[in-house]
Amino acid sequence: AMAGEGSTFRLRCSLLGHGQDVRGLTRGLFPEGSFVSVSRDRTARLWAPDGLNRGFTEMHCMSGHSNFVSCVCIIPPSDLYPRGLIATGGNDHNICIFTVDNPAPLYILKGHKNTVCSLSSGKFGTLLSGSWDTTAKVWLNDRCMMTLQGHTAAIWAVKILPEQGLMLTGSADKTIKLWKAGRCERTFTGHEDCVRGLAILSEMEFLSCANDASVRRWQISGECLQVYYGHTNYIYSISVFPRCKDFVTTGEDRSLRIWKQGECAQTIRLPAQSVWCCCVLDNGDIVVGASDGIIRVFTESLERTASAEEIQAFENELAQASIDPKTGDLGDINADDLPGREHLKDPGTRDGQTRLIKDNGKVEAYQWSVSEGRWIKIGDVVGSSGATQQTSGKVLFEGKEYDYVFTIDVNENGPSYKLPYNITDDPWLTAYNFLQKNDLNPMFLDQVAKFIMDNTKGQTLLSTSNQFSDPFTGAGRYVPGSSSGSSAIPGADPFTGAGRYVPGSASNTVPPVGGVDPFTGMDAYQSAAAKVENIYFPKKDAVTFDQANPTQILGKLKELNGSAAEEHKLTEDDLIILEKLLSATCNTSMETPTAQQLQTLWRAVNWPEDIVFPALDILRLSVRHPTVNENFCSEKEHVQFIILLLKFLNPKGKQANQLLALRALCNCFVSHAGQKLMMEQRDEIMTQAIETKSGNNKNIHIALATLTLNYAVCLHKVNNVEGKAQCLSVISTVMEVVQDLEAIFRLLVALGTLISDDTNAVQLAKSLGVDSQIKKYASVSEPAKVKECCRFVLNLL
């Protein structure tokens, strides 16, 4: 039972088992009351409460990493694994997935390029990982679905939020980012150093802790609601009590702190410098892991509290700890000014208050316990001389931790350079990389390697991993390709006036695709009683934009050609050539387009952007012809072709050009060459195309939805998981902004096509929260195809 107000946490038990620092903890689902720990000793261990006394028993030990294990989380139960799974991340760049009863991994997720230091699981089997390689990755079962890019330094913390599709990442670049369906929605700034931990309070609020020794409470909408101070050094981990807003934190100041109603209600000191991790069990007990390799459990419940002997042993251990004054945990210390033992006769004023005294030339540190009404010794303060580098790498360099960071002066008056080094690194390789990175003379190699070896004597690990990762991944220099999120204000349409040519102005002429097809705009004709058949998806063929008025297009081209600058002007012959091309590709003549016609068209589409639209429209129509498609999309030409079209997708550019470029891309899908090119360049094209959602132009939205649909058609044929993930992310993102029901309909068909016959894609769509996004369209009355298609999609989800 949870204890009442004002009660104090006391030791429940100390668990030995790990050989080195305990770096991660998480509460287990099975057996009840259990938890999992991971350590620098390369193992993960599952601990279960032993029924007889207050302790825990190690149920089993899991191995699978070739280096330190730094984080752990539980993947909730599924039909296949009713007891859930255990995921661990390590310095070997891998994530191992274990079942609860096998010491070897079920499978290993590879993809990160540096240490995986944080994991969080969501619904439907999704897993989010954060790494020193500056990215976070979303995994579904054994596949990487998407990579979240945007942070400029190591990602130390990740969390999946309860609302579907929302994820948080905290980084050494001092920011926290909120991601929706794989895109960065918001960046939270405020911390002054690496963000180390995240904890979820509710759908609307979360907490973060950082190396700036503060905890912050945030609203998802972006504002910081509160800052909590109390720790005197880095805060490594934060965990929330079940069913309330109280929380616990641990850090580099040797302490575990319990926060209630926004105040630090209790401070528990530990006989270890770094208290790396904590988690709260369902019964409210707190588990902490530290650099001494011991796991300790604290409880408010009197029946679970350790025996008097055990508590005495813990206090003795604490009293013998030596505290290094350089860490600043105790403030600035001047030994000469300290009072003697008599100072301990005065009671403390608040729980966790520290007091230093001097006894026989030795400085001792005590902490006041309100519940016991006495001062408890928490250690001896050692002189600053001879204080050794802590065994577990505590030095931060470019947001990552190392066992050592040396300062190297190459010559007297030049700058000094930082050289980070881990005991597991090869001294020669480190020296070589250091010289490379700083453009220093390679002649220094022997000297620098010897310097490293001399200064880390006796500090090599017995089993050095044979694959050395370069310590300089260049974190902190990676420039994110984040979108600037600028939305162009839709300008007045330049094409006005009756009878003048407006690209795509025919609003209801949807390209006929033959038969009774949802794209013909024919509404459902069944009587209400008839069973509606799914004629919508999976769609097998690309949807194209075929509607054309060649006379108007040519008229506009001639008119603009008259006002074009000399270097762009087309001759009369050129115009006749383009006219022939149009008739060849709009099926009014049986001729095949010629190379000369295509060269002329290429010149025209390279016109300045304010007059290029009629030429783009000719391109849009002619690319449907197999000859033209082969020419522009073949190996030789395609680079220029794609660069050209992507240039027109800039949301700051003219809307007519955006529209026609999107339609031309849709029409590329008619032939094999075009499909191949579209699939090869999918990532670039989708990333650029999605930016056109910002204008409120329904024709652009329909074209964007059609492009997505054509990708879905191709992806349905080949099982490309990342492609499907990107496509789902685009559908979800575009759904948010689109109003037009034709565009919505096409997005629904795309969605249905993507998830047909693919359970993985169904799970991913659910985890992105697509089902809740589309529910409202199940009740649209007109056109009926929207409602029907939506219901078919919801049946799959």
Side-chain angles (χ1 to χ4, degrees):
M2 289 283 285
E5 275 298 290
S7 49
T8 308
F9 278 89
R10 292 188 179 81
L11 184 71
R12 171 176 167 180
C13 59
S14 299
L15 305 172
L16 289 82
H18 282 296
Q20 292 189 48
D21 305 47
V22 177
R23 286 303 299 255
L25 288 163
T26 187
R27 65 191 180 89
L29 293 173
F30 179 89
E32 211 173 316
S34 65
F35 64 88
V36 184
S37 60
V38 297
S39 160
R40 279 175 74 110
D41 69 8
R42 308 182 181 197
T43 67
R45 294 170 199 242
L46 173 62
W47 304 82
D50 49 26
L52 306 167
N53 58 28
R54 312 173 185 89
F56 285 79
T57 313
E58 183 184 311
M59 295 275 290
H60 85 132
C61 177
M62 294 154 274
S63 307
H65 288 281
S66 60
N67 207 330
F68 310 151
V69 193
S70 38
C71 55
V72 58
C73 84
I74 298 287
I75 297 174
S78 61
D79 297 343
L80 201 50
Y81 301 105
R83 294 171 165 191
L85 295 168
I86 297 166
T88 59
N91 284 45
D92 57 5
H93 313 178
N94 292 343
I95 299 164
C96 290
I97 309 289
F98 298 92
T99 55
V100 290
D101 43 21
N102 190 337
L106 182 65
Y107 49 85
I108 296 181
L109 305 178
K110 294 176 181 280
H112 278 296
K113 298 182 173 65
N114 208 323
T115 297
V116 178
C117 51
S118 181
L119 290 167
S120 173
S121 62
K123 293 184 189 151
F124 315 110
T126 48
L127 179 69
L128 175 62
S129 60
S131 163
W132 290 2
D133 66 12
T134 77
T135 72
K137 288 181 183 287
V138 182
W139 309 81
L140 184 63
N141 304 326
D142 55 349
R143 307 291 287 274
C144 176
M145 289 296 176
M146 44 181 77
T147 299
L148 311 181
Q149 293 183 311
H151 281 293
T152 55
I155 295 180
W156 275 106
V158 296
K159 273 283 184 282
I160 295 184
L161 281 154
E163 192 194 322
Q164 287 164 340
L166 290 181
M167 298 175 177
L168 288 170
T169 54
S171 163
D173 65 13
K174 307 177 191 175
T175 70
I176 299 161
K177 288 182 184 288
L178 173 71
W179 308 79
K180 177 152 193 186
R183 293 168 59 80
C184 180
E185 289 273 300
R186 181 169 295 116
T187 299
F188 302 80
T189 53
H191 278 297
E192 289 158 29
D193 205 339
C194 301
V195 178
R196 295 298 289 258
L198 292 165
I200 308 297
L201 288 172
S202 68
E203 289 207 353
M204 298 316 296
E205 289 185 19
F206 66 92
L207 297 165
S208 62
C209 64
N211 281 356
D212 60 11
S214 76
V215 172
R216 285 174 177 259
R217 183 161 63 93
W218 305 86
Q219 231 168 357
I220 293 292
S221 56
E223 69 187 288
C224 179
L225 301 172
Q226 202 171 347
V227 185
Y228 308 87
Y229 295 104
H231 280 280
T232 57
N233 207 325
Y234 302 162
I235 306 176
Y236 292 134
S237 124
I238 184 162
S239 188
V240 178
F241 282 104
R243 299 169 294 282
C244 70
K245 289 199 170 176
D246 297 339
F247 58 93
V248 297
T249 51
T250 64
E252 180 63 10
D253 58 6
R254 322 165 71 86
S255 75
L256 152 71
R257 292 177 196 245
I258 292 114
W259 303 78
K260 298 195 171 170
Q261 278 104 37
E263 296 288 320
C264 179
Q266 190 184 350
T267 302
I268 297 175
R269 300 271 170 178
L270 295 174
Q273 179 65 53
S274 311
V275 190
W276 288 119
C277 50
C278 59
C279 73
V280 180
L281 302 178
D282 286 330
N283 61 9
D285 287 5
I286 303 166
V287 188
V288 294
S291 52
D292 58 3
I294 298 175
I295 297 167
R296 295 179 178 84
V297 186
F298 294 89
T299 184
E300 285 183 305
S301 139
L302 292 174
E303 56 265 31
R304 289 197 298 274
T305 302
S307 66
E309 297 83 59
E310 287 173 277
I311 289 184
Q312 191 53 56
F314 173 64
E315 286 188 13
N316 293 345
E317 203 186 342
L318 195 55
Q320 283 154 20
S322 53
I323 302 174
D324 177 357
K326 286 216 302 296
T327 58
D329 303 344
L330 304 167
D332 288 328
I333 302 169
N334 184 349
D336 303 337
D337 302 344
L338 292 175
R341 189 164 291 284
E342 68 286 353
H343 193 44
L344 297 178
K345 293 202 177 79
D346 310 334
T349 51
R350 59 182 172 79
D351 194 77
Q353 175 187 358
T354 51
R355 194 164 270 185
L356 300 180
I357 62 147
K358 195 166 164 191
D359 192 36
N360 295 328
K362 226 169 62 204
V363 177
E364 298 177 4
Y366 286 80
Q367 174 176 307
W368 180 251
S369 163
V370 169
S371 56
E372 308 199 10
R374 65 186 177 101
W375 290 99
I376 297 174
K377 184 176 175 193
I378 58 169
D380 295 313
V381 180
V382 295
S384 51
S385 62
T388 56
Q389 164 75 46
Q390 291 302 332
T391 51
S392 45
K394 224 46 49 25
V395 203
L396 269 109
F397 178 66
E398 293 186 346
K400 296 189 205 147
E401 20 168 72
Y402 293 92
D403 294 319
Y404 296 90
V405 174
F406 298 113
T407 303
I408 304 240
D409 295 300
V410 181
N411 54 29
E412 312 294 78
N413 40 21
S416 60
Y417 299 91
K418 293 279 186 227
L419 185 154
Y421 178 75
N422 281 321
I423 298 166
T424 49
D425 291 340
D426 177 284
W428 295 94
L429 191 66
T430 305
Y432 173 78
N433 286 328
F434 165 77
L435 296 172
Q436 287 281 96
K437 180 185 184 199
N438 295 301
D439 286 332
L440 298 171
N441 189 330
M443 281 175 22
F444 290 120
L445 185 63
D446 287 357
Q447 231 175 312
V448 174
K450 187 172 178 316
F451 172 86
I452 294 173
M453 291 184 279
D454 290 348
N455 285 283
T456 56
K457 274 210 171 64
Q459 285 285 334
T460 49
L461 289 187
L462 297 173
S463 48
T464 325
S465 83
N466 49 12
Q467 34 160 41
F468 301 110
S469 58
D470 175 344
F472 304 101
T473 53
R477 282 173 303 178
Y478 155 69
V479 183
S482 55
S483 59
S484 55
S486 58
S487 57
I489 298 163
D493 193 327
F495 313 106
T496 40
R500 287 171 66 195
Y501 151 71
V502 182
S505 56
S507 55
N508 295 325
T509 48
V510 181
V513 193
V516 179
D517 180 286
F519 294 93
T520 57
M522 289 188 186
D523 267 341
Y525 56 91
Q526 301 96 332
S527 70
K531 171 142 176 34
V532 181
E533 185 194 353
N534 183 357
I535 51 172
Y536 303 108
F537 62 82
K539 190 133 179 52
K540 297 283 191 280
D541 301 302
V543 177
T544 51
F545 289 91
D546 305 311
Q547 174 254 330
N549 185 332
T551 338
Q552 280 194 352
I553 296 174
L554 286 164
K556 194 72 194 173
L557 186 72
K558 287 175 180 162
E559 178 195 321
L560 291 169
N561 190 45
S563 59
E566 278 312 310
E567 70 266 26
H568 297 302
K569 264 205 184 26
L570 299 172
T571 63
E572 279 305 308
D573 289 350
D574 292 337
L575 293 167
I576 293 164
I577 287 169
L578 288 176
E579 190 167 358
K580 281 202 177 124
L581 175 64
L582 255 182
S583 62
T585 53
C586 291
N587 298 333
T588 42
S589 78
M590 294 311 291
E591 292 172 25
T592 302
T594 64
Q596 183 193 28
Q597 289 169 358
L598 296 178
Q599 282 158 2
T600 309
L601 174 59
W602 186 249
R603 274 173 40 220
V605 292
N606 281 287
W607 268 8
E609 64 171 324
D610 50 336
I611 59 170
V612 72
F613 64 90
L616 270 183
D617 215 4
I618 298 175
L619 178 65
R620 182 248 325 174
L621 288 162
S622 32
V623 80
R624 297 169 310 158
H625 192 288
T627 315
V628 184
N629 195 293
E630 179 61 45
N631 178 77
F632 282 129
C633 301
S634 71
E635 292 298 318
K636 304 195 297 295
E637 302 296 330
H638 74 256
V639 180
Q640 297 317 110
F641 177 64
I642 290 292
I643 291 172
L644 176 89
L645 290 178
L646 290 181
K647 179 182 80 181
F648 291 124
L649 292 182
N650 180 351
K652 294 196 184 73
K654 287 176 79 74
Q655 289 201 327
N657 297 345
Q658 291 173 41
L659 175 66
L660 294 167
L662 284 170
R663 289 182 173 180
L665 287 166
C666 291
N667 288 357
C668 284
F669 283 90
V670 295
S671 286
H672 179 71
Q675 280 176 23
K676 185 167 173 285
L677 173 64
M678 292 290 107
M679 290 300 277
E680 279 169 10
Q681 304 291 320
R682 170 184 53 78
D683 195 33
E684 279 289 296
I685 293 172
M686 291 290 247
T687 308
Q688 214 26 82
I690 199 170
E691 297 303 328
T692 61
K693 75 181 178 14
S694 54
N696 294 330
N697 182 312
K698 75 168 195 176
N699 286 324
I700 288 181
H701 286 171
I702 292 170
L704 178 56
T706 310
L707 180 63
T708 312
L709 171 54
N710 286 352
Y711 269 116
V713 170
C714 282
L715 288 162
H716 179 65
K717 295 181 187 135
V718 296
N719 193 15
N720 173 335
V721 191
E722 279 167 45
K724 285 191 173 182
Q726 185 185 29
C727 214
L728 281 169
S729 166
V730 169
I731 292 171
S732 161
T733 310
V734 177
M735 276 276 182
E736 296 275 292
V737 292
V738 169
Q739 305 286 307
D740 183 81
L741 287 173
E742 180 59 38
I744 291 291
F745 170 67
R746 294 183 183 202
L747 289 169
L748 288 169
V749 177
L751 179 57
T753 302
L754 271 180
I755 63 177
S756 291
D757 323 313
D758 184 348
T759 50
N760 255 346
V762 171
Q763 282 183 292
L764 185 65
K766 283 181 173 171
S767 70
L768 292 175
V770 176
D771 44 349
S772 52
Q773 263 187 313
I774 65 173
K775 280 197 179 83
K776 59 183 175 203
Y777 298 114
S779 49
V780 167
S781 51
E782 279 296 313
K785 63 181 185 180
V786 172
K787 168 178 70 185
E788 283 169 15
C789 184
C790 181
R791 288 176 184 174
F792 283 120
V793 175
L794 287 171
N795 286 345
L796 288 181
L797 294 168

